[in-house]
Each structure stands twice: as structure tokens, then as C-alpha cells.
Amino acid sequence: MVLTIDFESDEAIYIQLRNQIIIGIAADRIREGDSLPSVRQLADHIGINMHTVNKAYSVLKQEGFIKLDRRRGAVIALDVDKLRAMEELQKEMAVILARAICKRVSRQEVYALVDEIYDYYAGNCKE
């Protein structure tokens, strides 16, 4: 699993980790049932505090992307609750679209961007 963390970013490292893991799942680089590295292993590999990795894993668990197993650690286990996913997506997209409108991004440009990103992940990034 390749994770890219930007230590200069204003975005919290645990959020970057969370996002990278979600992208890995969407891109089919990480699959249902796969175990993630232990908190200690991942922290050592990236060079960050174990609490940061633990926080990322906790958020992923709350959001239904992983489950924590005593023997296997953090395991990809997708909670496919579509109604909840749609509600979460609506909340996140509301802010993203508001930002786009403030920056004068047109509806057509948003549609084109969404289609491009969706096609990329739906095709498992094989382009």
C-alpha cells in the first residue's frame, strides 16, 4: 500500500491517511478483507506518531470502511449502508459545491469533473 502524505499541507495527517485509504479502496488497490498495517508499523513506515494512525483508523471504522479485529488488526470491511452514504455525500458535496460556486465554477464544469473522477474510480484507475 502506497500512501502519500504531504507534511506541508494544512490538512491534518490523520485525514490525509483516511483519504488515501479510501482512495485505495475505490481504486481497488485495497480490497474487502485485506488487513491494513498495524498502527505501529504504519506510523514507523511514514514517520508519524502512532496516535495519528490510530485516529485515522478510528475515523475509518466510524465511517464504515474498516473493522478492528483482535487477531488481524484493521481489516477492510465496507458497511454498505447506501442511505447513510448518500446523506454523508450530500453534506460533503454541499460544502464542495458552495466553494465551487464562490470560485465561479460552472455547473457544466462540475458535471464534467464529477464524470471524470467517477469514471476513473469506476474503471479501477486502469487508464
Side-chain angles (χ1 to χ4, degrees):
M1 176 173 59
V2 177
L3 297 172
T4 307
I5 303 300
D6 179 1
F7 292 99
E8 301 299 318
S9 173
D10 290 337
E11 187 172 51
I13 292 173
Y14 81 94
I15 295 294
Q16 291 183 52
L17 277 175
R18 168 199 169 259
N19 292 346
Q20 291 288 312
I21 291 169
I22 291 170
I23 287 170
I25 296 167
D28 206 31
R29 290 189 299 263
I30 311 170
R31 295 182 177 88
E32 181 113 19
D34 286 353
S35 293
L36 295 174
S38 73
V39 169
R40 183 181 307 276
Q41 288 172 327
L42 190 54
D44 288 346
H45 177 72
I46 298 173
I48 60 175
N49 190 295
M50 289 186 344
H51 296 295
T52 303
V53 176
N54 196 41
K55 188 167 184 178
Y57 282 7
S58 293
V59 171
L60 287 163
K61 181 181 182 288
Q62 289 172 345
E63 293 177 343
F65 290 100
I66 66 171
K67 66 180 177 182
L68 302 176
D69 182 284
R70 285 186 179 191
R71 286 168 275 145
R72 295 185 60 207
V75 178
I76 303 300
L78 302 177
D79 173 8
V80 187
D81 180 348
K82 188 172 181 178
L83 181 60
R84 188 178 85 201
M86 290 295 290
E87 289 171 354
E88 291 170 359
L89 184 61
Q90 183 178 17
K91 287 178 186 176
E92 292 174 22
M93 285 185 68
V95 175
I96 292 168
L97 292 174
R99 289 176 54 197
I101 289 167
C102 289
K103 299 292 185 174
R104 306 224 187 312
V105 176
S106 73
R107 180 184 302 255
Q108 292 75 23
E109 290 169 319
V110 169
Y111 285 159
L113 187 58
V114 167
D115 284 342
E116 179 184 326
I117 295 168
Y118 192 92
D119 289 346
Y120 180 75
Y121 287 114
N124 294 321
C125 311
K126 294 176 185 168
E127 299 172 355

